[in-house]
């Protein structure tokens, strides 16, 4: 395996043995159409200019790389830097991908936009870009997530999109994806499906990664400017894995930078009640790709458990599976309790309320910072802000708002 | 000879159309599925598609999704399906049986397919893969088991030939853009697409998805080698799951059979 070459996926959409295009026949032409359009546009100057213009003027990029002074003091070892994706318009990294994909939809002449969402951030980001272009937009969301992310549900509605609550299966992100795929199979001629993570069939894992890689690209120049070297580690939470992939991808060739993905450990990986397929799963096929998957002893997809709706997913993007097997990235898990502790700690120490998803990345600093000395630089990808999680955390703390 | 190939050939020789019925193994429970399979055969079904339940059946509409959920609550697995089918074979060694399900189940349980103990299963149909995909490449293989590929209204002409060649039982033509049980059949489109498929396929082409009434069945049987009925049967199974009186299903099948004869 050649790690110095960032040329994956191969032409069939595989990252090593992972990835692929395992979808019902009806969707094959839509995937081919998308792939052809993307290959044509990705190096087109006009397309790139439009993408970066929107990121700058509408999203507010570049997002700062911010020195976390009190958090650094708290651990007393290396310098901790925060990549502030939480400051993006709509409050998370998800907007980077939707800005890119809506441009593809526009070039393809699609009139109707659909998306799945877990925590609601991708739903908000999709509804936002659809509103900007005046396109009809439908968001699928598990009914359990509709409950725990009610603020984002209302935001999506305010943006003029329709929210479809999904009751089937475990009523979370996985089931929202199932329902979005069913919609796509039915309305494939005029509908563009904006997948929100580096998951799904080829070419989605590649497209979502590429659009989100603006994060890693900015980190390269910001690291040079702020501490004149590559970072010693980048830490990011992993559900489907889009924020991590966007930060990791441009760094794959810099072997001096450790890439660390933090999965949702739920009640603890050892209890089986979690959402950590890279830590406790086996390869399997879900939602169009072969990747690490949580499955039982007869090949059924297992239910997941996480306090964070955005990480509550039994699968993971195929490129992460490849990065894990190749040893280029490390994948760990932290529990709900640890994430909640970090959520409070970071809020109080830094004046930044992180999303519960992001809190998982912060929680791992307890372990990680012991491995570094004062001269090292650690970047945490602050994938989103925690406003949407206030109700969940207040409930857990027994506080009525 | 493989039972499926055999049956399809016999029907062709008699200039008859095939009637295929789908049910979900384990809905409402595995014993009743066994009973229902006999009911289907006695009512005139030529081939049975045994649905293998999966947690994430993305190609199914709400009726069949719920059936998958009910079957999974009964802890039905591919292993218990093979045991049930083995019992079925004690009384019926002629009716072709097709396992229809999702890729992950077959990859995970490839040893069961390779084994096919007592040679009970005749064919495998995986709904969440492109038509050219060779299951053998993923270890899902048995020389005595046919594989059925799907072609849909959105399949481009240049792929039809290779998909048809990849299909060893019959070609399954998906009659609509949508999930199972939907209702937007376009007969003109269906008939011209099946005509195109037939130019390339050496095996029969059957039509399925969205066929509900005897009238639908009649219309589609005129341009294909047979029809596949799923959601309507699964719905009737659900409605009769308490009473276990399946006369309605018999009558329904008999009517369809008459319509396509």
């Amino acid at each position: 395996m050649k790690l110095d070459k960032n040329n994956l996926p191969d032409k069939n959409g595989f990252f090593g043995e992972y990835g692929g295009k395992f979808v019902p026949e009806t969707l094959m032409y839509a995937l081919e159409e998308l792939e052809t359009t993307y290959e044509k546009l990705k190096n087109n100057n006009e397309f790139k200019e439009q993408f970066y213009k929107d990121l700058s003027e509408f999203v507010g990029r570049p997002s700062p790389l911010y020195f976390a002074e009190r958090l650094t003091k708290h651990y007393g070892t290396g310098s901790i830097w925060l990549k502030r994706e939480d400051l993006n318009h709509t409050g998370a990294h998800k907007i980077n991908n939707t800005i890119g994909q809506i441009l593809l939809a526009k070039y393809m002449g699609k009139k109707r936009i659909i998306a799945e969402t877990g925590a609601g951030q991708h739903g908000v980001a999709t509804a936002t870009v659809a509103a900007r272009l005046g396109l009809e937009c439908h968001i699928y969301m598990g009914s359990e997530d509709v409950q725990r992310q009610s603020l984002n549900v209302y935001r999506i509605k305010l943006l003029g999109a329709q929210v479809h609550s999904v009751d089937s299966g475990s009523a979370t992100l996985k089931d929202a994806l199932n329902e979005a795929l069913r919609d796509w199979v039915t309305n494939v001629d005029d509908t563009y499906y904006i997948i929100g993570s580096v998951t799904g069939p080829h070419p989605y894992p590649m497209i979502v990664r590429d659009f989100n890689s603006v994060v890693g690209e900015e980190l390269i120049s910001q690291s040079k400017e702020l501490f004149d070297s590559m970072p010693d580690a980048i830490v990011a939470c992993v559900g489907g894995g889009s924020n991590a992939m966007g930060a990791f991808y441009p760094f794959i060739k810099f072997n001096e930078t450790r890439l660390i993905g933090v999965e949702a450990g739920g009640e603890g990986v050892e209890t089986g009640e979690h959402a950590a397929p890279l830590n406790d799963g086996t390869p399997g096929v879900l939602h169009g790709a072969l990747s690490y998957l949580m499955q039982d002893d007869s090949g059924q997809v297992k239910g997941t458990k996480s306090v964070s709706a955005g990480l509550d997913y039994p699968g993971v993007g195929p490129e992460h599976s490849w990065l894990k097997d190749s040893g280029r990235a490390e994948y760990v898990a932290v529990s709900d309790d640890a994430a909640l502790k970090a959520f409070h700690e970071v809020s109080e120490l830094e004046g930044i309320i992180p999303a519960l998803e992001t809190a998982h990345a912060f929680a791992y600093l307890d372990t990680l910072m012991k491995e570094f000395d004062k001269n090292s630089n650690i970047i945490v990808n602050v994938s989103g802000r925690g406003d949407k999680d206030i109700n969940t955390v207040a409930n857990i703390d027994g506080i009525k708002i | 000879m493989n039972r499926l190939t055999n049956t399809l050939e016999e029907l062709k020789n008699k200039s008859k159309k095939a009637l295929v019925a789908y049910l979900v193994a384990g809905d409402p429970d595995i014993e009743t599925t066994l009973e229902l399979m006999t009911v289907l055969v006695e009512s005139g079904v030529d081939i049975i598609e045994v649905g293998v339940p999966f947690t994430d059946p993305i190609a199914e509409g709400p009726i069949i999704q719920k059936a998958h959920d009910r079957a999974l609550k009964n802890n039905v697995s591919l292993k218990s399906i093979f045991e049930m089918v083995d019992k079925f074979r004690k009384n019926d060694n002629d009716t072709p049986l097709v396992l229809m399900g999702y890729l992950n189940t077959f990859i995970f349980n490839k040893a069961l397919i390779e084994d096919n103990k007592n040679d009970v299963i005749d064919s495998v149909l995986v709904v969440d893969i492109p038509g050219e995909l060779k299951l053998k490449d993923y270890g899902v293989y048995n020389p005595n088991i046919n594989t059925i590929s799907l072609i849909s209204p959105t399949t481009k002409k240049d792929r039809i030939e290779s998909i048809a060649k990849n299909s060893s039982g019959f070609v399954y033509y998906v009659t609509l853009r949508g999930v199972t049980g939907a209702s937007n059949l376009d007969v003109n489109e269906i008939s011209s697409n099946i005509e195109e498929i037939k130019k390339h396929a050496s095996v029969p082409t059957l039509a399925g998805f969205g066929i509900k009434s005897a009238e639908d069945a009649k219309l589609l049987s005129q341009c294909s080698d047979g029809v596949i009925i799923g959601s309507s049967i699964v719905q009737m199974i659900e409605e009769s799951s308490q009473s276990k009186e399946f006369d309605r299903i018999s009558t329904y099948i008999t009517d369809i059979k008459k319509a396509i004869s």
Side-chain angles (χ1 to χ4, degrees):
Chain A
M1 217 173 288
K2 282 184 186 160
L3 288 179
D4 53 341
K5 273 190 173 175
N6 286 14
N7 58 358
L8 293 176
D10 65 21
K11 66 175 172 39
N12 296 315
F14 282 91
F15 303 88
E17 66 173 292
Y18 302 108
K21 221 188 254 184
F22 304 102
V23 292
E25 176 58 34
T26 307
L27 293 179
M28 280 303 285
Y29 104 97
L31 293 174
E32 273 169 22
E33 185 188 20
L34 175 59
E35 195 179 343
T36 312
T37 308
Y38 181 64
E39 290 300 332
K40 198 170 75 188
L41 291 179
K42 73 174 182 189
N43 295 317
N44 172 299
N45 284 332
E46 200 187 321
F47 179 80
K48 282 198 291 191
E49 269 166 34
Q50 186 66 51
F51 176 60
Y52 286 109
K53 183 173 188 282
D54 287 347
L55 286 182
S56 153
E57 294 171 7
F58 187 67
V59 177
R61 300 205 71 89
S63 69
L65 183 60
Y66 168 75
F67 179 59
E69 199 176 334
R70 292 191 70 211
L71 205 55
T72 298
K73 268 199 195 125
H74 173 77
Y75 288 107
T77 52
S79 299
I80 298 170
W81 301 84
L82 308 183
K83 180 59 173 167
R84 300 293 308 277
E85 291 300 295
D86 58 315
L87 292 179
N88 292 342
H89 177 47
T90 71
H93 71 285
K94 293 288 188 191
I95 190 83
N96 304 325
N97 166 48
T98 60
I99 288 280
Q101 287 206 52
I102 202 79
L103 286 176
L104 294 179
K106 189 178 153 194
Y107 275 90
M108 290 164 78
K110 301 288 182 181
K111 300 277 177 261
R112 189 172 169 275
I113 303 296
I114 58 170
E116 84 295 338
T117 195
Q121 287 303 125
H122 177 58
V124 169
T126 302
T128 298
V129 294
R132 233 179 131 223
L133 294 187
L135 296 174
E136 179 186 338
C137 180
H138 298 265
I139 305 293
Y140 290 90
M141 190 166 185
S143 57
E144 190 179 318
D145 294 338
V146 167
Q147 290 268 324
R148 57 179 165 174
Q149 303 288 351
S150 54
L151 181 68
N152 272 345
V153 173
Y154 187 54
R155 288 172 78 196
I156 295 167
K157 288 179 183 165
L158 282 174
L159 292 159
Q162 220 173 311
V163 176
H164 302 268
S165 177
V166 179
D167 275 320
S168 59
S170 58
T172 57
L173 179 55
K174 151 181 105 73
D175 310 285
L177 245 147
N178 290 341
E179 213 47 46
L181 283 166
R182 289 179 188 122
D183 179 316
W184 201 27
V185 170
T186 308
N187 302 297
V188 62
D189 291 331
D190 69 343
T191 297
Y192 186 100
Y193 180 15
I194 303 190
I195 290 189
S197 194
V198 287
T199 51
H202 178 66
Y204 281 107
M206 170 180 77
I207 291 178
V208 179
R209 172 200 70 193
D210 289 354
F211 288 143
N212 252 317
S213 289
V214 65
V215 176
E217 285 157 13
E218 286 173 8
L219 282 177
I220 290 176
S221 53
Q222 289 170 325
S223 297
K224 280 181 190 153
E225 189 189 315
L226 292 167
F227 45 86
D228 199 27
S229 70
M230 287 297 113
D232 296 278
I234 301 174
V235 189
C237 63
V238 176
S242 63
N243 92 80
M245 208 57 238
F248 292 176
Y249 183 63
F251 282 89
I252 291 178
K253 59 187 172 203
F254 299 122
N255 279 316
E256 64 268 40
T257 302
R258 282 172 66 186
L259 306 174
I260 301 166
V262 186
E263 293 195 301
E267 294 182 359
V269 171
E270 67 290 349
T271 66
E273 301 289 312
H274 56 77
L278 289 166
N279 281 277
D280 188 32
T282 51
V285 177
L286 179 69
H287 298 145
L290 178 66
S291 195
Y292 277 90
L293 177 65
M294 290 172 54
Q295 45 190 337
D296 68 12
D297 54 10
S298 60
Q300 302 293 348
V301 178
K302 271 209 274 197
T304 50
K305 180 97 184 28
S306 172
V307 68
S308 138
L311 303 183
D312 210 353
Y313 183 65
V316 65
E319 196 163 8
H320 284 295
S321 292
W322 176 76
L323 285 172
K324 172 191 159 75
D325 283 9
S326 67
R328 179 61 190 93
E330 308 155 48
Y331 295 92
V332 297
V334 304
S335 68
D336 284 352
D337 287 348
L340 284 162
K341 180 174 155 269
F343 177 90
H344 286 292
E345 222 164 65
V346 173
S347 301
E348 287 169 23
L349 282 173
E350 289 296 340
I352 294 169
I353 301 174
L356 275 175
E357 290 76 17
T358 314
H360 285 72
F362 278 114
Y364 189 63
L365 293 178
D366 278 359
T367 308
L368 187 69
M369 294 314 289
K370 291 176 192 147
E371 299 168 25
F372 288 103
D373 62 24
K374 283 200 173 332
N375 298 321
S376 46
N377 292 288
I378 314 304
I379 293 174
V380 177
N381 196 23
V382 186
S383 54
R385 66 175 89 123
D387 308 34
K388 68 183 177 59
D389 297 312
I390 302 297
N391 281 322
T392 305
V393 176
N395 268 335
I396 291 168
D397 292 344
I399 294 162
K400 269 215 158 86
I401 300 178
Chain B
M1 196 194 222
N2 179 288
R3 293 180 200 91
L4 180 62
T5 310
N6 203 19
T7 297
L8 289 168
E9 215 157 89
E10 269 176 26
L11 287 166
K12 194 182 164 197
N13 290 339
K14 291 183 200 158
S15 301
K16 284 191 167 164
K17 307 293 181 177
L19 175 55
V20 185
Y22 170 94
L23 44 57
V24 177
D27 169 41
D29 54 67
I30 200 93
E31 291 78 24
T32 310
T33 301
L34 182 59
E35 200 183 311
L36 278 163
M37 284 167 68
T38 309
V39 171
L40 292 175
V41 175
E42 283 170 358
S43 315
V45 161
D46 300 300
I47 297 159
I48 299 178
E49 274 182 15
V50 180
V52 181
F54 184 51
T55 38
D56 299 85
I58 55 169
E60 315 298 347
I63 293 171
I64 296 181
Q65 276 176 51
K66 280 191 271 167
H68 279 240
D69 285 345
R70 290 193 293 271
L72 288 173
K73 284 210 178 86
N74 295 329
N75 290 316
V76 169
S77 63
L78 196 55
K79 189 161 172 274
S80 59
I81 293 172
F82 265 98
E83 288 161 7
M84 184 271 291
V85 167
D86 198 44
K87 282 185 201 157
F88 175 81
R89 283 281 176 242
K90 302 264 187 293
N91 298 313
D92 183 335
N93 200 27
D94 300 317
T95 307
L97 297 180
V98 179
L99 288 179
M100 179 171 184
Y102 289 80
L103 182 60
N104 196 57
T105 316
F106 292 106
I107 292 182
F108 197 93
N109 296 289
K110 53 189 164 217
L112 288 172
I113 301 295
E114 196 185 338
D115 191 20
N116 193 21
K117 205 175 148 212
N118 300 334
D119 209 18
V120 290
I121 290 297
D122 306 288
S123 188
V124 165
L125 196 173
V126 179
V127 279
D128 58 341
I129 54 172
E132 309 94 334
L133 186 136
K134 291 185 168 46
L135 288 169
K136 197 179 173 180
D137 294 347
Y138 295 86
V140 181
Y141 180 67
N142 183 315
N144 298 319
I145 291 182
N146 282 332
T147 52
I148 294 164
S149 293
L150 294 97
I151 293 180
S152 92
T154 61
T155 304
K156 282 204 202 133
K157 268 195 179 165
D158 59 357
R159 291 179 54 237
I160 288 181
E161 191 176 349
S162 62
I163 298 178
K165 286 199 173 122
N166 191 36
S167 209
S168 54
F170 57 84
V171 172
Y172 190 130
Y173 182 71
V174 177
T175 51
L176 47 80
R177 293 160 180 76
V179 290
T180 49
S183 49
N184 46 336
L185 293 175
D186 175 346
V187 178
N188 286 336
E189 183 188 61
I190 295 167
S191 121
S192 85
N193 283 344
I194 291 183
E195 210 168 291
E196 182 66 29
I197 296 168
K198 282 178 149 299
K199 284 185 206 157
H200 306 286
S202 58
V203 291
T205 303
L206 275 59
F209 274 51
I211 302 172
K212 289 180 183 130
S213 64
E215 209 164 296
D216 295 340
K218 186 176 179 180
L219 226 54
L220 291 184
S221 70
Q222 285 162 357
C223 60
S224 69
D225 298 309
V227 294
I228 303 152
I229 315 278
S231 297
S232 309
I233 295 172
V234 173
Q235 171 123 40
M236 281 185 248
I237 293 174
E238 182 185 359
E239 285 161 6
S240 317
S241 62
Q242 295 300 320
S243 67
K244 302 259 167 93
E245 282 167 18
F246 300 118
D247 297 353
R248 250 179 87 209
I249 298 177
S250 294
T251 314
Y252 176 73
I253 297 288
T254 314
D255 286 350
I256 302 248
K257 182 82 174 178
K258 223 181 279 168
I260 66 169
S261 293

